[in-house]
Amino acid sequence: MDSNDIQLAKQGDQQLLAKRLKENYSFLVKYVWKMSGDEQLAYDVTQETLVKAIQKINQYKGKSSFSSWLIQIATHTYLDIKRKQNRAFTYEQSEAACLKRDEITDSMPAEWYDVQQALLQLEDQYRIPIVLKHYYGYDYEEIAQMTKAKTGTVKSRVHYGLKQLRKELGEHEG
């Protein structure tokens, strides 16, 4: 969004804001899906992110790109939802999730499946910065701003997370 668009949206141009949110919708769904490994959760988080963006448009300062601002909202929304869930999966829910994941990964090469599974095993604090850095290409400072962590912390989380991924993937090969 350019500065003129920001001003118009803040002044109540709902059509312009709706257009910009629609342009970023699939980008957000894909980001949350990669981050969470859960398609339905990705859609839920994206919907909640869009609602929050509408409510908080006056807080957008334009210091980062509009999509980066949306990723920041999506990341915090995802983490909030996970905290609330306390992940008490039943056996049936776990099996259903595995079946759904199998359907998605049938068309992927086996190596990608292994990487995706290893990535999903990482804690959020390591997985999110890795996805932002190595899939979306954000620099450490941008990731620090999005995750509200210090740049050094982000660097160490990426480093540690990649080390864990290499270890996990090395065990699959050996």
Side-chain angles (χ1 to χ4, degrees):
M1 269 185 136
D2 65 30
S3 59
N4 188 41
D5 286 353
I6 294 167
Q7 282 309 112
L8 291 172
K10 286 181 175 182
Q11 292 169 1
D13 188 335
Q14 294 176 349
Q15 288 184 334
L16 177 64
L17 181 57
K19 180 181 175 191
R20 296 296 180 247
L21 293 173
K22 186 176 181 181
E23 290 170 358
N24 285 280
Y25 181 80
S26 63
F27 170 75
L28 282 172
V29 170
K30 290 174 187 173
Y31 164 68
V32 178
W33 195 349
K34 282 177 185 61
M35 185 173 55
S36 68
D38 183 330
E39 181 182 14
Q40 186 56 53
L41 181 60
Y43 284 105
D44 293 346
V45 169
T46 300
Q47 289 297 322
E48 197 165 327
T49 298
L50 297 179
V51 169
K52 287 180 179 180
I54 292 167
Q55 293 169 342
K56 297 179 178 194
I57 188 63
N58 287 323
Q59 294 177 16
Y60 177 59
K61 305 296 182 217
K63 292 179 183 175
S64 60
S65 71
F66 189 65
S67 60
S68 294
W69 183 66
L70 292 173
I71 281 182
Q72 182 177 0
I73 295 170
T75 300
H76 292 287
T77 301
Y78 166 73
L79 293 172
D80 288 345
I81 288 173
K82 280 203 57 176
R83 270 192 288 275
K84 291 174 187 172
Q85 284 178 343
N86 285 334
R87 291 284 178 192
F89 269 128
T90 64
Y91 175 76
E92 292 82 15
Q93 289 170 319
S94 179
E95 285 299 304
C98 286
L99 289 173
K100 185 184 282 188
R101 199 170 294 129
D102 288 345
E103 290 172 17
I104 294 165
T105 56
D106 281 345
S107 61
M108 292 183 199
E111 299 81 25
W112 175 245
Y113 176 78
D114 290 343
V115 171
Q116 189 70 14
Q117 287 303 314
L119 194 58
L120 291 172
Q121 297 304 312
L122 289 176
E123 293 177 40
D124 292 331
Q125 66 177 335
Y126 304 113
R127 182 176 58 251
I128 292 168
I130 288 172
V131 169
L132 289 170
K133 175 76 177 149
H134 293 287
Y135 189 84
Y136 289 97
Y138 286 102
D139 64 37
Y140 291 115
E141 290 76 21
E142 290 172 312
I143 297 168
Q145 182 182 358
M146 288 178 204
T147 60
K148 295 183 180 171
K150 293 182 178 174
T151 303
T153 302
V154 170
K155 287 179 182 178
S156 68
R157 287 177 179 173
V158 169
H159 175 77
Y160 177 79
L162 290 174
K163 184 177 172 183
Q164 291 300 107
L165 279 176
R166 286 185 194 104
K167 180 180 173 185
E168 180 70 25
L169 292 170
E171 289 174 4
H172 279 113
E173 291 175 6

PDB file of all heavy atoms in Angstrom, residues 4 8 18 21 25 27 31 54-56 58 62 70 96 103-104 117-118 125 134 158-159 172:
ATOM      1  N   ASN A   4      -0.635   7.144   0.015  1.00  0.00           N
ATOM      2  CA  ASN A   4      -1.948   7.677  -0.340  1.00  0.00           C
ATOM      3  C   ASN A   4      -3.047   6.649  -0.018  1.00  0.00           C
ATOM      4  O   ASN A   4      -4.090   6.997   0.542  1.00  0.00           O
ATOM      5  CB  ASN A   4      -1.987   8.066  -1.821  1.00  0.00           C
ATOM      6  CG  ASN A   4      -3.258   8.808  -2.176  1.00  0.00           C
ATOM      7  OD1 ASN A   4      -3.717   9.659  -1.424  1.00  0.00           O
ATOM      8  ND2 ASN A   4      -3.820   8.466  -3.317  1.00  0.00           N
ATOM      9  N   LEU A   8      -6.176   6.959   2.625  1.00  0.00           N
ATOM     10  CA  LEU A   8      -7.562   6.731   2.205  1.00  0.00           C
ATOM     11  C   LEU A   8      -8.209   5.626   3.043  1.00  0.00           C
ATOM     12  O   LEU A   8      -9.361   5.741   3.450  1.00  0.00           O
ATOM     13  CB  LEU A   8      -7.614   6.379   0.712  1.00  0.00           C
ATOM     14  CG  LEU A   8      -7.272   7.519  -0.249  1.00  0.00           C
ATOM     15  CD1 LEU A   8      -7.162   6.993  -1.678  1.00  0.00           C
ATOM     16  CD2 LEU A   8      -8.314   8.630  -0.163  1.00  0.00           C
ATOM     17  N   ALA A  18     -10.537  -3.327   1.442  1.00  0.00           N
ATOM     18  CA  ALA A  18     -10.992  -4.673   1.077  1.00  0.00           C
ATOM     19  C   ALA A  18     -10.186  -5.209  -0.108  1.00  0.00           C
ATOM     20  O   ALA A  18      -9.797  -6.382  -0.125  1.00  0.00           O
ATOM     21  CB  ALA A  18     -12.478  -4.658   0.745  1.00  0.00           C
ATOM     22  N   LEU A  21      -6.704  -6.193   1.146  1.00  0.00           N
ATOM     23  CA  LEU A  21      -6.765  -7.425   1.944  1.00  0.00           C
ATOM     24  C   LEU A  21      -6.992  -8.629   1.040  1.00  0.00           C
ATOM     25  O   LEU A  21      -6.384  -9.686   1.234  1.00  0.00           O
ATOM     26  CB  LEU A  21      -7.855  -7.309   3.010  1.00  0.00           C
ATOM     27  CG  LEU A  21      -7.584  -6.279   4.106  1.00  0.00           C
ATOM     28  CD1 LEU A  21      -8.800  -6.133   5.012  1.00  0.00           C
ATOM     29  CD2 LEU A  21      -6.342  -6.637   4.911  1.00  0.00           C
ATOM     30  N   TYR A  25      -4.782 -12.201   0.583  1.00  0.00           N
ATOM     31  CA  TYR A  25      -5.452 -13.330   1.223  1.00  0.00           C
ATOM     32  C   TYR A  25      -4.705 -14.652   0.999  1.00  0.00           C
ATOM     33  O   TYR A  25      -4.347 -15.339   1.960  1.00  0.00           O
ATOM     34  CB  TYR A  25      -6.901 -13.447   0.721  1.00  0.00           C
ATOM     35  CG  TYR A  25      -7.655 -14.580   1.357  1.00  0.00           C
ATOM     36  CD1 TYR A  25      -8.203 -14.439   2.623  1.00  0.00           C
ATOM     37  CD2 TYR A  25      -7.797 -15.795   0.708  1.00  0.00           C
ATOM     38  CE1 TYR A  25      -8.890 -15.474   3.223  1.00  0.00           C
ATOM     39  CE2 TYR A  25      -8.489 -16.844   1.300  1.00  0.00           C
ATOM     40  CZ  TYR A  25      -9.028 -16.683   2.557  1.00  0.00           C
ATOM     41  OH  TYR A  25      -9.701 -17.713   3.147  1.00  0.00           O
ATOM     42  N   PHE A  27      -1.715 -15.235  -0.031  1.00  0.00           N
ATOM     43  CA  PHE A  27      -0.375 -15.130   0.532  1.00  0.00           C
ATOM     44  C   PHE A  27      -0.399 -15.459   2.029  1.00  0.00           C
ATOM     45  O   PHE A  27       0.428 -16.230   2.525  1.00  0.00           O
ATOM     46  CB  PHE A  27       0.144 -13.706   0.288  1.00  0.00           C
ATOM     47  CG  PHE A  27       1.405 -13.349   1.011  1.00  0.00           C
ATOM     48  CD1 PHE A  27       2.631 -13.822   0.593  1.00  0.00           C
ATOM     49  CD2 PHE A  27       1.365 -12.517   2.128  1.00  0.00           C
ATOM     50  CE1 PHE A  27       3.799 -13.485   1.259  1.00  0.00           C
ATOM     51  CE2 PHE A  27       2.522 -12.170   2.795  1.00  0.00           C
ATOM     52  CZ  PHE A  27       3.742 -12.660   2.354  1.00  0.00           C
ATOM     53  N   TYR A  31       1.192 -18.706   4.019  1.00  0.00           N
ATOM     54  CA  TYR A  31       2.158 -18.472   5.092  1.00  0.00           C
ATOM     55  C   TYR A  31       1.748 -19.224   6.367  1.00  0.00           C
ATOM     56  O   TYR A  31       2.547 -19.959   6.948  1.00  0.00           O
ATOM     57  CB  TYR A  31       2.292 -16.966   5.387  1.00  0.00           C
ATOM     58  CG  TYR A  31       2.969 -16.685   6.711  1.00  0.00           C
ATOM     59  CD1 TYR A  31       4.316 -16.977   6.896  1.00  0.00           C
ATOM     60  CD2 TYR A  31       2.260 -16.157   7.786  1.00  0.00           C
ATOM     61  CE1 TYR A  31       4.944 -16.749   8.109  1.00  0.00           C
ATOM     62  CE2 TYR A  31       2.878 -15.928   9.002  1.00  0.00           C
ATOM     63  CZ  TYR A  31       4.215 -16.224   9.153  1.00  0.00           C
ATOM     64  OH  TYR A  31       4.826 -16.013  10.365  1.00  0.00           O
ATOM     65  N   ILE A  54      -8.530  -4.848   9.705  1.00  0.00           N
ATOM     66  CA  ILE A  54      -9.580  -3.843   9.512  1.00  0.00           C
ATOM     67  C   ILE A  54      -9.722  -3.004  10.779  1.00  0.00           C
ATOM     68  O   ILE A  54      -9.780  -1.773  10.724  1.00  0.00           O
ATOM     69  CB  ILE A  54     -10.920  -4.513   9.132  1.00  0.00           C
ATOM     70  CG1 ILE A  54     -10.818  -5.125   7.733  1.00  0.00           C
ATOM     71  CG2 ILE A  54     -12.073  -3.514   9.203  1.00  0.00           C
ATOM     72  CD1 ILE A  54     -11.953  -6.078   7.390  1.00  0.00           C
ATOM     73  N   GLN A  55      -9.736  -3.688  11.918  1.00  0.00           N
ATOM     74  CA  GLN A  55      -9.899  -2.984  13.188  1.00  0.00           C
ATOM     75  C   GLN A  55      -8.703  -2.098  13.524  1.00  0.00           C
ATOM     76  O   GLN A  55      -8.850  -1.068  14.175  1.00  0.00           O
ATOM     77  CB  GLN A  55     -10.107  -3.994  14.321  1.00  0.00           C
ATOM     78  CG  GLN A  55     -11.411  -4.746  14.229  1.00  0.00           C
ATOM     79  CD  GLN A  55     -11.482  -5.917  15.202  1.00  0.00           C
ATOM     80  OE1 GLN A  55     -10.472  -6.388  15.720  1.00  0.00           O
ATOM     81  NE2 GLN A  55     -12.696  -6.401  15.442  1.00  0.00           N
ATOM     82  N   LYS A  56      -7.512  -2.514  13.080  1.00  0.00           N
ATOM     83  CA  LYS A  56      -6.284  -1.827  13.482  1.00  0.00           C
ATOM     84  C   LYS A  56      -5.631  -1.027  12.353  1.00  0.00           C
ATOM     85  O   LYS A  56      -4.466  -0.652  12.475  1.00  0.00           O
ATOM     86  CB  LYS A  56      -5.271  -2.859  14.002  1.00  0.00           C
ATOM     87  CG  LYS A  56      -5.748  -3.588  15.239  1.00  0.00           C
ATOM     88  CD  LYS A  56      -4.724  -4.601  15.691  1.00  0.00           C
ATOM     89  CE  LYS A  56      -5.194  -5.276  16.964  1.00  0.00           C
ATOM     90  NZ  LYS A  56      -4.126  -6.004  17.624  1.00  0.00           N
ATOM     91  N   ASN A  58      -5.691   1.904  11.542  1.00  0.00           N
ATOM     92  CA  ASN A  58      -5.131   3.182  12.001  1.00  0.00           C
ATOM     93  C   ASN A  58      -3.778   3.022  12.700  1.00  0.00           C
ATOM     94  O   ASN A  58      -3.051   3.990  12.871  1.00  0.00           O
ATOM     95  CB  ASN A  58      -6.114   3.905  12.926  1.00  0.00           C
ATOM     96  CG  ASN A  58      -7.273   4.482  12.145  1.00  0.00           C
ATOM     97  OD1 ASN A  58      -7.095   4.967  11.030  1.00  0.00           O
ATOM     98  ND2 ASN A  58      -8.462   4.411  12.710  1.00  0.00           N
ATOM     99  N   GLY A  62       3.100   2.276   8.032  1.00  0.00           N
ATOM    100  CA  GLY A  62       3.748   2.281   6.721  1.00  0.00           C
ATOM    101  C   GLY A  62       5.256   2.137   6.781  1.00  0.00           C
ATOM    102  O   GLY A  62       5.935   2.324   5.781  1.00  0.00           O
ATOM    103  N   LEU A  70       0.717  -7.493   7.816  1.00  0.00           N
ATOM    104  CA  LEU A  70      -0.277  -8.568   7.910  1.00  0.00           C
ATOM    105  C   LEU A  70       0.353  -9.854   8.454  1.00  0.00           C
ATOM    106  O   LEU A  70      -0.265 -10.550   9.259  1.00  0.00           O
ATOM    107  CB  LEU A  70      -0.927  -8.829   6.548  1.00  0.00           C
ATOM    108  CG  LEU A  70      -1.823  -7.722   6.014  1.00  0.00           C
ATOM    109  CD1 LEU A  70      -2.265  -8.028   4.591  1.00  0.00           C
ATOM    110  CD2 LEU A  70      -3.036  -7.501   6.921  1.00  0.00           C
ATOM    111  N   ALA A  96      -6.903 -38.218  12.115  1.00  0.00           N
ATOM    112  CA  ALA A  96      -7.534 -37.444  11.042  1.00  0.00           C
ATOM    113  C   ALA A  96      -6.543 -36.437  10.466  1.00  0.00           C
ATOM    114  O   ALA A  96      -6.470 -36.244   9.250  1.00  0.00           O
ATOM    115  CB  ALA A  96      -8.779 -36.732  11.551  1.00  0.00           C
ATOM    116  N   GLU A 103      -2.873 -36.856   2.324  1.00  0.00           N
ATOM    117  CA  GLU A 103      -3.505 -36.454   1.062  1.00  0.00           C
ATOM    118  C   GLU A 103      -2.727 -35.308   0.426  1.00  0.00           C
ATOM    119  O   GLU A 103      -2.501 -35.296  -0.783  1.00  0.00           O
ATOM    120  CB  GLU A 103      -4.939 -35.977   1.305  1.00  0.00           C
ATOM    121  CG  GLU A 103      -5.897 -37.058   1.697  1.00  0.00           C
ATOM    122  CD  GLU A 103      -7.256 -36.491   2.107  1.00  0.00           C
ATOM    123  OE1 GLU A 103      -7.552 -35.326   1.781  1.00  0.00           O
ATOM    124  OE2 GLU A 103      -8.010 -37.211   2.765  1.00  0.00           O
ATOM    125  N   ILE A 104      -2.330 -34.346   1.227  1.00  0.00           N
ATOM    126  CA  ILE A 104      -1.628 -33.165   0.723  1.00  0.00           C
ATOM    127  C   ILE A 104      -0.251 -33.541   0.194  1.00  0.00           C
ATOM    128  O   ILE A 104       0.182 -33.064  -0.843  1.00  0.00           O
ATOM    129  CB  ILE A 104      -1.486 -32.105   1.841  1.00  0.00           C
ATOM    130  CG1 ILE A 104      -2.868 -31.584   2.225  1.00  0.00           C
ATOM    131  CG2 ILE A 104      -0.578 -30.961   1.428  1.00  0.00           C
ATOM    132  CD1 ILE A 104      -2.882 -30.822   3.532  1.00  0.00           C
ATOM    133  N   GLN A 117       7.871 -32.380   7.471  1.00  0.00           N
ATOM    134  CA  GLN A 117       7.607 -33.053   8.749  1.00  0.00           C
ATOM    135  C   GLN A 117       8.608 -32.615   9.821  1.00  0.00           C
ATOM    136  O   GLN A 117       8.226 -32.366  10.957  1.00  0.00           O
ATOM    137  CB  GLN A 117       7.652 -34.581   8.577  1.00  0.00           C
ATOM    138  CG  GLN A 117       6.461 -35.133   7.847  1.00  0.00           C
ATOM    139  CD  GLN A 117       5.154 -34.768   8.521  1.00  0.00           C
ATOM    140  OE1 GLN A 117       5.001 -34.879   9.721  1.00  0.00           O
ATOM    141  NE2 GLN A 117       4.206 -34.308   7.745  1.00  0.00           N
ATOM    142  N   ALA A 118       9.880 -32.524   9.448  1.00  0.00           N
ATOM    143  CA  ALA A 118      10.906 -32.089  10.402  1.00  0.00           C
ATOM    144  C   ALA A 118      10.641 -30.647  10.842  1.00  0.00           C
ATOM    145  O   ALA A 118      10.779 -30.317  12.014  1.00  0.00           O
ATOM    146  CB  ALA A 118      12.302 -32.226   9.778  1.00  0.00           C
ATOM    147  N   GLN A 125       8.783 -21.074  18.145  1.00  0.00           N
ATOM    148  CA  GLN A 125       9.806 -20.027  18.270  1.00  0.00           C
ATOM    149  C   GLN A 125      10.972 -20.243  17.310  1.00  0.00           C
ATOM    150  O   GLN A 125      11.686 -19.300  16.977  1.00  0.00           O
ATOM    151  CB  GLN A 125      10.306 -19.919  19.704  1.00  0.00           C
ATOM    152  CG  GLN A 125      11.059 -21.132  20.198  1.00  0.00           C
ATOM    153  CD  GLN A 125      11.588 -20.922  21.604  1.00  0.00           C
ATOM    154  OE1 GLN A 125      11.801 -19.798  22.029  1.00  0.00           O
ATOM    155  NE2 GLN A 125      11.790 -22.017  22.321  1.00  0.00           N
ATOM    156  N   HIS A 134      13.861 -18.199   5.341  1.00  0.00           N
ATOM    157  CA  HIS A 134      14.294 -19.041   4.229  1.00  0.00           C
ATOM    158  C   HIS A 134      13.212 -19.332   3.200  1.00  0.00           C
ATOM    159  O   HIS A 134      13.539 -19.742   2.093  1.00  0.00           O
ATOM    160  CB  HIS A 134      14.911 -20.339   4.761  1.00  0.00           C
ATOM    161  CG  HIS A 134      16.189 -20.084   5.489  1.00  0.00           C
ATOM    162  ND1 HIS A 134      17.356 -19.753   4.842  1.00  0.00           N
ATOM    163  CD2 HIS A 134      16.470 -20.048   6.811  1.00  0.00           C
ATOM    164  CE1 HIS A 134      18.312 -19.554   5.723  1.00  0.00           C
ATOM    165  NE2 HIS A 134      17.800 -19.722   6.930  1.00  0.00           N
ATOM    166  N   VAL A 158      17.011 -19.018  14.439  1.00  0.00           N
ATOM    167  CA  VAL A 158      17.167 -19.569  13.087  1.00  0.00           C
ATOM    168  C   VAL A 158      18.327 -20.565  13.076  1.00  0.00           C
ATOM    169  O   VAL A 158      18.200 -21.677  12.565  1.00  0.00           O
ATOM    170  CB  VAL A 158      17.370 -18.456  12.029  1.00  0.00           C
ATOM    171  CG1 VAL A 158      17.799 -19.039  10.689  1.00  0.00           C
ATOM    172  CG2 VAL A 158      16.087 -17.640  11.857  1.00  0.00           C
ATOM    173  N   HIS A 159      19.445 -20.167  13.654  1.00  0.00           N
ATOM    174  CA  HIS A 159      20.627 -21.041  13.694  1.00  0.00           C
ATOM    175  C   HIS A 159      20.316 -22.354  14.423  1.00  0.00           C
ATOM    176  O   HIS A 159      20.591 -23.438  13.910  1.00  0.00           O
ATOM    177  CB  HIS A 159      21.793 -20.313  14.382  1.00  0.00           C
ATOM    178  CG  HIS A 159      23.001 -21.167  14.565  1.00  0.00           C
ATOM    179  ND1 HIS A 159      23.864 -21.460  13.549  1.00  0.00           N
ATOM    180  CD2 HIS A 159      23.463 -21.826  15.669  1.00  0.00           C
ATOM    181  CE1 HIS A 159      24.814 -22.268  14.001  1.00  0.00           C
ATOM    182  NE2 HIS A 159      24.603 -22.496  15.290  1.00  0.00           N
ATOM    183  N   HIS A 172      16.965 -39.352   9.466  1.00  0.00           N
ATOM    184  CA  HIS A 172      16.106 -40.025   8.471  1.00  0.00           C
ATOM    185  C   HIS A 172      16.943 -40.684   7.371  1.00  0.00           C
ATOM    186  O   HIS A 172      16.577 -41.731   6.866  1.00  0.00           O
ATOM    187  CB  HIS A 172      15.141 -39.021   7.814  1.00  0.00           C
ATOM    188  CG  HIS A 172      13.940 -38.746   8.665  1.00  0.00           C
ATOM    189  ND1 HIS A 172      13.733 -37.529   9.231  1.00  0.00           N
ATOM    190  CD2 HIS A 172      12.911 -39.529   9.047  1.00  0.00           C
ATOM    191  CE1 HIS A 172      12.606 -37.567   9.940  1.00  0.00           C
ATOM    192  NE2 HIS A 172      12.106 -38.781   9.842  1.00  0.00           N
TER     193      HIS A 172
END
